[in-house]
């Protein structure tokens, strides 16, 4: 994105234990003394409205218990019986709320679905909430949409449906598993607590100690491929962004399974782990900041450092595409009023000035980087005070009162993220378009396309283990492959690792689209050029500065595996198991990408796949989540 970026962070230290670890442990223990106060603070509870009435309960747990007792419907038991995943549960909750809001009773439909599941199995049950329309929240900031039902299933015994839970006294293996799960949950919560409470100089050792298995000391797991964050949130270190809001902050994500330099974006932390039970943070007014505000604060702050700006400026395909579009199309830029959304270091604003723009406004939400953009513009004599056309404004598109112009002729922004849509900065670009762009004005780039293709083990970097100094280490590759589903891997994929032809999954016209056009479900068929195994689906994007606006010199920026490498690389979605394809065979995929209704700036991705022409029930499915740090 425009060169605003996030702090690249650093690798975890391998200092062993000693005083730092002891200090970290002491600080964490002291912080734990306040845990009950934080956990019981009524301002921290997520007041939750009943699914069936106007009753408001103090927490999601209380709401679920109330609905089970008062209305005879327990979401936890129901989702277990029908084997609903996260997306299915979100659809279910919004279906119930929409029916109740319309004055209809949802219970008959729910009872019928439960009966069909009991008679025919969960896969054979009709689900009236199956439409993707029910991914849109009915109730803004509905705590149930971010609730960790999976964790509760383990805690309460819902995983096997009604009556599935067994007591520890009658199921020793189950009790051991439950204790192990509880232990893991406690470690995760302790890590989250340490992250919130400890200073940076103590945090790495504390997290290393919290992550270590029994018998391991702090730092025992340090090394290539390890991550000290354990957060499951994405880092902006390589993320693209247009400062005004693109890449997320925080420590870098762990490296990809092959250890070859990609980034792994793990499945998200949800509900209780990162939602209600965390230390309250304050906004600028001294009041508790909302989760969305905290994420935005971390997001924009991540662009206040220079590492990511250097990375993006050094991305020649990206930077030169914008330069050519702005400097080589005088019929569009000469004499125009230009708005640069997420201006970062100011590079696009200065390109527009050299292209002959009459006025250029660079807008960025990071106060620090906007200040450096002003200095950069002034250092090149392009600021208003020097007689140039460029001015820099600090603020968010949605909040800034005035940019010095009622309308602009051109909006330019480098908003794209991993897999195109991660970071959801496009919302701000479209808001700027609707607020300031004159009728018929241009948005640059004006077309963006999500592309997909099937990939081999090499696309995931697993081929590394096939021949290590003449030795096969396939067992390690098999272990990494087994752990990969649900984790988006961002890495450079060689074109030779693609095993199918590419297909277009989604195309957006930025000059005309509605914000909802970012969320999509696409059916694509990937045809194998030759026999082989498909281990993953590779996702990338193309951005076009088309001849509609760039008449003299249209420009196409591609992040495809066979194009010049960019800092976006490609996003790899691992399959549950490799799929064997004969030459000419076709793999049918249903890819969905949607802004998360539960987690601000997060992108939910789901992939269903199977042999083209096969029964829908025979398809495999896997879900992913890409999210910005700051919670």
């Amino acid at each position: 994105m425009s060169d605003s970026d996030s702090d690249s962070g650093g690798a975890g230290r391998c200092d062993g234990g000693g005083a730092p670890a002891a200090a970290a442990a002491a600080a964490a223990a002291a912080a734990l003394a306040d845990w009950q106060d934080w956990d019981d603070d009524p301002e921290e509870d997520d007041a939750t409205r009943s699914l069936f009435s106007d009753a408001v309960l103090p927490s999601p747990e209380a709401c679920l218990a109330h609905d089970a007792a008062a209305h005879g419907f327990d979401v936890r038991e129901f989702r277990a019986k029908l084997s609903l995943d996260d997306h299915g549960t979100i659809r279910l909750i919004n279906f119930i709320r929409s029916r109740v809001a319309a004055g209809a009773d949802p219970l008959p439909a729910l009872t019928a679905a439960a009966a069909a599941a009991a008679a025919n199995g969960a896969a054979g049950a009709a689900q009236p909430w199956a439409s993707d329309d029910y991914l849109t929240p009915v109730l803004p900031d509905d705590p149930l949409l971010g609730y960790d039902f999976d964790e509760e299933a383990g805690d309460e015994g819902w995983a096997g449906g009604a009556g599935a839970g067994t007591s520890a006294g009658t199921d020793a293996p189950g009790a051991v598993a439950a204790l192990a799960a509880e232990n893991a949950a406690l470690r995760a919560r302790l890590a989250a607590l340490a992250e919130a409470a400890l200073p940076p100089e103590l945090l790495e050792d504390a997290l290393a100690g919290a992550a270590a298995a029994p018998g391991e000391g702090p730092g025992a797991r340090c090394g290539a491929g390890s991550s000290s964050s354990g957060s499951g949130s994405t880092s902006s270190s390589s993320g693209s962004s247009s400062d005004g809001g693109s890449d997320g902050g925080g420590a870098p994500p762990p490296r990809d399974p092959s250890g070859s330099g990609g980034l792994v974006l793990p499945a998200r932390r949800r509900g209780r782990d990162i939602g209600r039970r965390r230390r309250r943070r304050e906004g600028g007014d001294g009041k508790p900041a909302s989760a969305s505000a905290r994420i935005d604060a971390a997001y924009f702050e991540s662009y206040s450092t220079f590492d990511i700006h250097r990375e993006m400026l050094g991305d020649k395909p990206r930077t030169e595409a914008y330069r050519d579009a702005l400097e080589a199309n005088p019929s569009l830029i000469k004499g125009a009023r230009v708005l640069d959304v997420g201006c970062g270091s100011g590079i696009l604003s200065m390109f527009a000035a050299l292209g002959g723009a009459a006025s250029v406004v660079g807008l960025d939400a990071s106060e620090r980087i906007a200040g450096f953009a002003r200095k950069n513009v002034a250092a090149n004599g392009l600021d208003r005070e020097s007689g140039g056309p460029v001015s820099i404004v600090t603020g968010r598109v949605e909040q800034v009162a005035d940019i010095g112009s009622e309308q602009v002729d051109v909006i330019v922004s480098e908003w794209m993220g991993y897999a195109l849509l991660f970071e959801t900065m496009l919302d701000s670009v479209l808001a700027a378009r609707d607020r300031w762009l004159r009728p018929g004005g241009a948005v640059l780039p004006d077309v963006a396309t999500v592309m997909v293709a099937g990939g081999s083990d090499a696309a995931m970097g697993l081929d590394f283990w096939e021949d290590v100094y003449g030795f096969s280490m396939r067992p390690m590759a098999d272990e990494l492959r087994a752990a990969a589903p649900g984790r988006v891997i961002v890495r450079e994929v060689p074109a030779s690792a693609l095993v199918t032809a590419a297909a277009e999954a989604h195309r957006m016209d930025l000059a005309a689209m509605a914000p909802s056009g970012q969320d999509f479900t696409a059916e694509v068929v990937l045809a194998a050029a030759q026999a082989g195994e498909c281990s993953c689906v590779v996702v990338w994007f193309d951005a076009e500065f088309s001849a509609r606006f760039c008449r003299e010199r249209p420009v196409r920026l591609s992040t495809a595996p066979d194009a010049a490498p960019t800092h976006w690389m490609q996003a790899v979605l691992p399959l549950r198991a490799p799929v064997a394809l004969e030459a000419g065979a076709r793999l049918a995929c249903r890819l969905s990408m949607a802004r998360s209704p539960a987690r601000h700036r997060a992108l939910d991705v789901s992939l269903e796949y199977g042999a083209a022409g096969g029964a829908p029930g025979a398809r495999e499915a896997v879900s992913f989540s890409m999210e910005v740090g700051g919670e």
Side-chain angles (χ1 to χ4, degrees), residues 534-610:
C534 180
S535 302
C536 58
V537 169
V538 182
V539 184
W540 67 90
F541 68 86
D542 294 339
E544 298 178 44
F545 305 78
S546 77
R548 170 173 50 173
F549 299 125
C550 296
R551 298 186 180 91
E552 291 89 352
R553 187 167 179 182
V555 179
R556 180 171 174 267
L557 169 61
S558 178
T559 64
D562 60 356
T566 71
H567 75 285
W568 287 288
M569 298 178 279
Q570 290 81 37
V572 179
L573 309 180
L575 306 186
R576 294 198 178 278
V579 176
L581 297 175
E582 297 296 328
R586 299 183 303 157
L587 184 69
C589 298
R590 186 173 190 262
L591 176 67
S592 297
M593 291 188 181
R595 294 161 296 172
S596 173
R599 298 170 322 284
H600 186 51
R601 291 194 182 277
L603 181 68
D604 288 340
V605 182
S606 65
L607 175 66
E608 299 175 18
Y609 59 93

Side-chain angles (χ1 to χ4, degrees), residues 51-52 63-79 92 96 106-107 110-111 114:
L51 289 169
F52 301 95
C63 174
L64 295 171
H66 167 84
D67 286 346
H71 303 284
F73 182 81
D74 194 313
V75 173
R76 299 164 294 187
E77 180 178 350
F78 188 85
R79 75 186 294 273
L92 171 66
I96 295 173
L107 287 173
L110 299 173
T111 302

Side-chain angles (χ1 to χ4, degrees), residues 238-579:
S238 286
S240 52
S241 145
S242 202
D243 327 347
S246 259
D247 205 287
R255 293 290 165 179
D256 81 88
S258 70
S260 62
L263 305 176
V264 175
L265 308 186
R268 70 180 187 270
R269 295 180 298 169
R270 290 164 299 155
R272 293 167 61 178
D273 286 344
I274 61 170
R276 295 170 294 104
R277 301 188 176 185
R278 69 167 71 87
R279 182 165 64 97
R280 184 168 64 239
R281 293 163 173 85
E282 294 184 350
D285 56 3
K287 297 180 180 179
S290 68
S292 295
R294 289 194 296 270
I295 290 173
D296 278 342
Y299 174 67
F300 294 124
E301 178 62 23
S302 73
Y303 283 93
S304 68
T305 59
F306 299 158
D307 287 350
I308 195 171
H309 295 278
R310 177 168 180 167
E311 180 179 35
M312 291 188 290
L313 291 168
D315 182 339
K316 293 185 67 175
R318 162 221 183 251
T319 306
E320 292 179 0
Y322 277 88
R323 181 197 63 189
D324 293 348
L326 292 167
E327 293 188 13
N329 288 285
S331 65
L332 174 66
I333 301 299
K334 191 173 180 59
R337 299 163 296 178
V338 177
L339 171 61
D340 176 5
V341 177
C343 67
S345 65
I347 187 68
L348 304 189
S349 294
M350 291 189 282
F351 285 157
L354 293 185
S359 66
V360 183
V361 176
L363 178 62
D364 200 281
S366 169
E367 183 174 357
R368 182 171 186 263
I369 205 63
F372 278 100
R374 289 188 191 94
K375 293 177 181 179
N376 291 341
V377 170
N380 289 277
L382 296 172
D383 58 315
R384 292 280 180 87
E385 289 74 12
S386 302
V390 182
S391 60
I392 303 296
V393 175
T394 302
R396 296 185 57 186
V397 166
E398 297 83 356
Q399 297 174 351
V400 68
D402 181 26
I403 62 169
S405 177
E406 292 186 1
Q407 286 190 327
V408 297
D409 305 297
V410 178
I411 289 178
V412 63
S413 181
E414 200 276 73
W415 54 268
M416 299 84 77
Y418 297 134
L420 181 65
L421 294 171
F422 174 55
E423 297 168 345
T424 65
M425 185 189 163
L426 181 54
D427 284 329
S428 295
V429 177
L430 299 181
R433 179 199 66 185
D434 295 342
R435 185 174 179 186
W436 291 301
L437 188 64
R438 68 166 174 80
V443 179
L444 299 180
D446 60 312
V447 177
T449 309
V450 177
M451 304 293 297
V452 297
S456 66
D457 278 358
M460 299 167 62
L462 297 179
D463 58 327
F464 169 85
W465 302 100
E466 294 296 328
D467 182 355
V468 182
Y469 293 96
F471 298 101
S472 170
M473 296 188 178
R474 175 171 282 276
M476 300 178 80
D478 292 342
E479 178 69 15
L480 291 167
R481 181 188 291 108
R487 300 165 70 86
V488 180
I489 302 170
V490 178
R491 68 188 308 273
E492 287 187 16
V493 175
S496 60
L498 301 184
V499 297
T500 75
E504 180 180 302
H506 188 53
R507 187 176 183 86
M508 300 188 302
D509 179 350
L510 278 76
M513 67 180 288
S516 60
Q518 300 171 70
D519 306 330
F520 72 90
T521 296
E523 300 277 355
V524 296
V525 176
L526 304 177
Q530 57 188 17
E533 285 190 340
C534 180
S535 302
C536 58
V537 169
V538 182
V539 184
W540 67 90
F541 68 86
D542 294 339
E544 298 178 44
F545 305 78
S546 77
R548 170 173 50 173
F549 299 125
C550 296
R551 298 186 180 91
E552 291 89 352
R553 187 167 179 182
V555 179
R556 180 171 174 267
L557 169 61
S558 178
T559 64
D562 60 356
T566 71
H567 75 285
W568 287 288
M569 298 178 279
Q570 290 81 37
V572 179
L573 309 180
L575 306 186
R576 294 198 178 278
V579 176

Side-chain angles (χ1 to χ4, degrees), residues 14-62:
C14 255
D15 304 302
L32 278 171
D34 295 329
W35 177 268
Q36 195 63 44
D37 290 339
W38 294 344
D39 198 37
D40 292 340
D41 190 335
E43 292 186 24
E44 284 296 292
D45 288 340
D46 285 335
T48 307
R49 197 173 83 185
S50 165
L51 289 169
F52 301 95
S53 70
D54 290 332
V56 177
L57 291 306
S59 69
E61 291 94 339

